[in-house]
């Protein structure tokens, strides 16, 4: 049976809930609430340990109730977060993750963007735009709470704020429907989370910096926090530690409590009046610490009710079940339920404890991989041994074939081999630097070297190129001239020379054909047309390199033209081979 744990750590108290079952049907197996001797998110004087006392209390609760520490979700005080709305020109989640911090930096002037963890929830999205609700929490605040959990032996897999855990619990219980709107509120020690729901979707989140214990603070601090619910500490400034509770008479304490309740009701009234919802607000659902005179009342004609997310046999306590709503939502999310998937454990905090959760699967995979590699190595070794033995037989037979076997009276096929080849063949077994296959390759290389040496001695070296044939080049040019024959004109050669030219700098070997020619025709124009057709045909041949033109001269009787010293450069190597 699946088990998960939800843990809320606030400034003064903690609540934890252990669920078992499935996301659709779960039951509370264990729960615990308690006071923290020192606020988890409160800094202490230099040299002190801000987490030791709180983690000791939490550790005792974990051991007492046998909490499953391998699947824990953490919810932190919403008062530590700042909320902003942001519009993006795209809706792809991967792109939003890439540019989110750059876009949000200007919206959080009180903090350095490198000192905060930024999360987002998509309110509305289309194909080309999206509207986001941004949540920013200082890394130092989150780190202090994680240290409390870590020293208590609990490593949360994920962290979120109270507001998102409360929403997941409300959605799972079916309170939020598509045809109505609600306001969800969680009253904490020093802050109250407020979420406006419309059509079972989140529309707005905010934190009221007033809670059930605000009346214990100095009156000036309560007034300052109540008048500016969205206030945040200046950039780089550390929150001042709370002053110790002064000993006051019961009447003064009651007066301060009534004042704090009025301020909370007033802020809830502001949320009701400022809410922009498509459906009328059905009710205000409140959970968390019990505040006298808040539940079962009205705020601006909107009824205030207790947020009951547990079933009739959900395992919740008879009294004080409202305190467990946030922890229940965090546990439900860890079990795979809940529609909101916030992630405050991103960047350097995101992978805290991830390796520990993967240790066993990685160990099993590594063991299987090592076993596979070992078996594969055994097969490869056997194949190598078999092939090496066969190559040894081949090598010995090759040696006997080349230089013979004196003991058996068998001569080799090599006649007068070089000393290097004979010496190597005679000492094959002494060549420990090469495998048997490499030895055979080396013998082949020595034989090929002997063959090339003999070819050079006999003048059959293929690396020596013969000069191009001047006669072949002349034949190629005259063949074009002969096939260019016409009924209206005819050529007459006066002088022809064909000269081989060696390669120079960037020019390859070639042959230059030079000739004097007369083209006879009824008119110089016809003779010129014949000459130009001959040049075009030359240029179309693959062996043509260049053509040197010369001015033509009309004959005295105007029966043709005469050209002296025209040249054609030919690359004979590119001429097609003659048929055998």
């Amino acid at each position: 049976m699946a088990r998960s744990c939800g843990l809320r750590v606030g400034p003064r108290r903690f609540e934890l809930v252990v669920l078992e079952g499935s996301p659709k049907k779960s039951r509370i197996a264990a729960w615990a609430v308690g006071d923290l001797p020192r606020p988890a998110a409160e800094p202490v004087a230099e040299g002190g340990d801000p987490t030791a006392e709180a983690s000791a209390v939490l550790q005792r609760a974990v051991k007492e109730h046998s909490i499953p520490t391998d699947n824990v979700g953490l919810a932190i005080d919403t008062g530590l977060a700042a909320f902003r709305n942001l519009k993006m020109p795209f809706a792809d989640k991967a792109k939003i993750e890439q540019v989110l911090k750059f876009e949000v930096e200007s919206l959080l002037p009180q903090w350095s963007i490198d000192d905060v963890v930024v999360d987002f929830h998509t309110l509305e999205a289309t194909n080309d735009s999206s509207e986001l609700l941004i949540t920013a929490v200082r890394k130092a605040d989150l780190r202090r709470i994680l240290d409390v959990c870590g020293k208590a032996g609990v490593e949360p897999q994920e962290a979120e704020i109270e507001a998102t855990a409360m929403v997941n619990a409300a959605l799972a219980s079916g309170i939020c429907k598509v045809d109505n709107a609600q306001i969800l509120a969680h009253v904490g020690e020093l802050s109250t989370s407020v979420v406006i729901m419309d059509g079972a979707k989140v529309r707005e989140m905010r934190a009221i910096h007033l809670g059930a214990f605000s009346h214990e603070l100095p009156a000036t601090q309560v007034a300052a926090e109540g008048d500016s619910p969205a206030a945040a500490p200046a950039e780089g400034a550390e929150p001042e530690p709370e002053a110790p509770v002064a000993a006051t008479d019961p009447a003064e304490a009651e007066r301060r409590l009534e004042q704090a309740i009025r301020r909370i009701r007033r802020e809830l009234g502001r949320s009701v009046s400022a809410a922009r919802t498509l459906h009328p607000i059905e009710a205000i659902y409140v959970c968390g610490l019990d505040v006298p005179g808040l539940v079962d009342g009205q705020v601006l004609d909107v009824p205030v009710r207790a947020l009951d997310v547990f079933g009739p046999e959900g395992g919740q306590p008879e009294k004080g079940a409202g305190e467990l709503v946030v922890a229940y939502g965090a546990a439900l999310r860890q079990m795979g339920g809940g529609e909101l998937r916030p992630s405050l454990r991103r960047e350097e905090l995101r992978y805290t404890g991830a390796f520990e959760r993967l240790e066993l699967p990685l160990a099993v995979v590594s063991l299987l991989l090592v076993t596979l590699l070992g078996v594969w190595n055994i097969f490869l070794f056997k194949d190598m041994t078999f092939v090496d033995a066969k190559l040894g037989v081949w090598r010995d037979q090759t040696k006997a074939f080349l230089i013979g076997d004196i003991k058996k009276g068998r001569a080799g096929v090599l006649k007068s081999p070089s000393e290097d080849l004979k010496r190597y063949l005679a000492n094959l077994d002494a060549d420990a630097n090469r495998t048997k296959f490499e030895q055979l390759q080396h013998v082949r290389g020595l034989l090929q070297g002997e063959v090339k040496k003999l070819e050079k001695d006999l003048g059959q070296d293929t690396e020596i190129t013969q000069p191009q044939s001047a006669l072949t080049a002349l034949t190629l040019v005259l063949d074009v001239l002969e096939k260019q024959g016409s009924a209206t004109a005819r050529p007459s050669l006066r002088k022809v020379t064909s000269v081989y030219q060696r390669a120079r700098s960037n020019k390859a070997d070639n042959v230059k054909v030079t000739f004097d020619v007369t083209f006879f025709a009824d008119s110089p124009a016809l003779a010129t047309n014949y000459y130009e057709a001959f040049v075009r045909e030359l240029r179309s041949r693959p062996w043509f390199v260049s053509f040197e033109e010369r001015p033509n001269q009309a004959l005295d009787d105007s029966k043709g033209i005469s050209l002296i010293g025209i040249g054609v450069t030919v690359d004979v190597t590119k001429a097609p081979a003659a048929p055998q």
Side-chain angles (χ1 to χ4, degrees):
M1 183 177 295
R3 286 167 59 89
S4 66
C5 176
L7 172 64
R8 187 196 82 93
V9 178
R12 303 288 181 85
R13 291 175 61 81
F14 75 90
E15 299 91 36
L16 60 85
V17 171
V18 178
L19 289 185
E20 60 182 16
S22 64
K24 294 184 178 180
K25 187 177 181 181
S26 59
R27 186 180 185 278
I28 297 178
W31 59 272
V33 298
D35 296 327
L36 297 175
R38 180 180 296 279
E42 177 187 318
V44 295
E46 184 177 357
D49 188 352
T51 61
E53 297 179 2
S55 59
V57 173
L58 187 58
Q59 186 177 21
R60 286 195 295 270
V62 170
K63 290 183 178 180
E64 181 181 352
H65 297 278
S66 301
I67 302 302
T69 58
D70 58 339
N71 189 15
V72 180
L74 173 65
I76 65 173
D77 183 15
T78 305
L80 299 176
F83 300 96
R84 299 291 186 270
N85 288 87
L86 179 66
K87 289 187 177 181
M88 288 285 192
F90 44 78
D92 184 68
K93 185 176 180 180
K95 293 182 178 179
I96 294 175
E97 290 276 4
Q98 293 175 357
V99 303
L100 182 61
K101 274 205 166 183
F102 301 101
E103 297 293 335
V104 175
E105 184 173 8
S106 60
L107 302 179
L108 300 170
Q110 72 273 24
W111 291 330
S112 171
I113 195 63
D114 294 328
D115 296 336
V116 298
V117 179
V118 181
D119 191 22
F120 70 94
H121 171 68
T122 304
L123 299 177
E124 296 289 346
T126 60
N127 293 333
D128 54 359
S129 65
S130 60
E131 183 177 355
L132 309 178
L133 175 62
I134 306 299
T135 306
V137 179
R138 291 201 312 169
K139 294 178 182 178
D141 295 334
L142 182 59
R143 185 73 264 170
R144 278 195 295 270
I145 301 175
L146 290 174
D147 288 342
V148 172
C149 298
K151 291 184 179 181
V154 179
E155 184 64 34
Q157 294 186 9
E158 196 52 85
E160 59 183 317
I161 58 176
E162 297 165 334
T164 55
M166 174 177 58
V167 170
N168 279 333
L171 292 175
S173 66
I175 292 176
C176 303
K177 297 181 173 59
V178 295
D179 57 351
N180 55 24
Q182 305 84 18
I183 294 181
L184 307 180
H186 175 269
V187 181
E189 297 94 310
L190 302 177
S191 65
T192 300
S193 309
V194 178
V195 181
I196 298 177
M197 304 291 295
D198 186 14
K201 291 185 179 180
V202 175
R203 295 303 178 187
E204 184 181 348
M205 286 186 187
R206 63 177 295 214
I208 303 173
H209 288 261
L210 290 167
F213 294 165
S214 295
H215 65 284
E216 298 179 1
L217 300 177
T220 55
Q221 188 172 349
V222 175
E225 293 179 348
D227 291 338
S228 56
E235 181 178 358
E238 292 291 337
E240 298 181 1
E242 297 173 4
V245 178
T248 58
D249 58 82
E252 177 64 17
E254 185 177 357
R255 186 189 65 82
R256 289 187 180 183
L257 178 58
E258 291 178 356
Q259 183 183 13
I261 295 173
R262 284 199 302 270
R263 291 181 180 276
I264 293 175
R265 292 177 61 87
R266 185 181 67 183
E267 294 300 328
L268 290 176
R270 288 181 179 178
S271 299
V272 172
S273 60
R276 297 179 179 178
T277 59
L278 298 176
H279 305 91
I281 297 178
E282 172 201 6
I284 300 175
Y285 290 94
V286 180
C287 62
L289 296 174
D290 186 19
V291 177
L294 184 60
V295 180
D296 297 331
Q298 287 188 343
V299 174
L300 297 184
D301 297 330
V302 177
V304 181
R305 302 169 184 168
L307 179 57
D308 185 6
V309 298
F310 309 103
E313 297 181 358
Q316 71 275 15
E318 295 182 1
K319 295 183 179 181
E323 294 185 54
L324 304 179
V325 170
V326 168
Y328 173 79
L332 189 65
R333 182 256 177 92
Q334 287 303 118
M335 191 173 282
E339 297 185 15
L340 303 188
R341 312 299 294 179
S343 177
L344 292 179
R345 302 208 68 180
R346 53 184 65 230
E347 300 174 0
E348 72 273 15
L349 298 179
R350 184 180 184 89
Y351 301 102
T352 303
F355 181 73
E356 289 77 1
R357 298 192 296 271
L358 296 177
E359 279 181 347
L360 180 59
L362 287 176
V364 173
V365 171
S366 300
L367 182 61
L368 292 175
L369 182 61
V370 170
T371 304
L372 175 62
L373 291 176
V375 173
W376 189 23
N377 184 61
I378 292 173
F379 280 106
L380 288 179
F381 179 76
K382 290 185 176 180
D383 289 344
M384 184 182 67
T385 304
F386 175 78
V387 172
D388 191 67
K390 296 298 181 182
L391 285 174
V393 176
W394 187 5
R395 183 200 63 176
D396 296 339
Q397 292 295 329
T398 301
K399 174 183 175 181
F401 175 76
L402 292 176
I403 63 176
D405 191 345
I406 299 177
K407 296 181 179 179
K408 294 183 179 181
R410 185 170 58 190
V413 297
L414 290 180
K415 304 299 182 183
S416 302
S418 66
E419 291 296 327
D420 292 340
L421 182 58
K422 288 195 299 182
R423 189 182 309 110
Y424 186 75
L425 288 173
N427 299 280
L428 277 176
D429 294 331
D431 187 4
N433 295 327
R434 297 185 178 93
T435 63
K436 294 181 175 61
F437 179 70
E438 291 173 342
Q439 290 174 359
L440 289 171
Q441 286 184 317
H442 186 64
V443 170
R444 183 175 63 178
L446 292 175
L447 290 173
Q448 290 176 346
E450 292 291 324
V451 171
K452 288 184 178 180
K453 183 178 179 181
L454 291 175
E455 287 179 347
K456 287 183 178 180
D457 293 342
L458 296 174
Q460 299 178 356
D461 190 2
T462 57
E463 296 180 357
I464 300 176
T465 58
Q466 301 295 329
Q468 296 188 16
S469 172
L471 178 60
T472 302
L474 178 61
T475 303
L476 291 172
V477 174
L478 295 182
D479 183 64
V480 173
L481 183 64
E482 189 272 334
K483 291 181 179 180
Q484 197 66 26
S486 171
T488 58
R490 62 182 179 84
S492 176
L493 294 172
R494 304 301 184 185
K495 179 181 177 182
V496 178
T497 59
S498 182
V499 180
Y500 165 71
Q501 300 182 129
R502 293 180 178 273
R504 297 186 307 240
S505 62
N506 60 344
K507 293 185 178 180
D509 290 1
N510 57 65
V511 177
K512 185 175 182 180
V513 179
T514 306
F515 51 91
D516 301 341
V517 61
T518 301
F519 293 97
F520 293 101
D522 293 338
S523 66
L526 293 175
T528 302
N529 291 340
Y530 185 91
Y531 165 63
E532 292 176 350
F534 166 64
V535 174
R536 286 195 300 271
E537 187 64 24
L538 280 176
R539 294 181 185 277
S540 66
R541 298 304 171 96
W543 40 260
F544 174 81
V545 177
S546 64
F547 181 79
E548 294 182 3
E549 296 189 18
R550 293 290 184 269
N552 61 71
Q553 184 177 2
L555 300 179
D556 294 338
D557 55 359
S558 299
K559 296 295 185 177
I561 59 175
S562 175
L563 298 102
I564 299 174
I566 60 176
V568 181
T569 303
V570 177
D571 186 354
V572 178
T573 61
K574 296 182 180 180
Q580 299 295 330

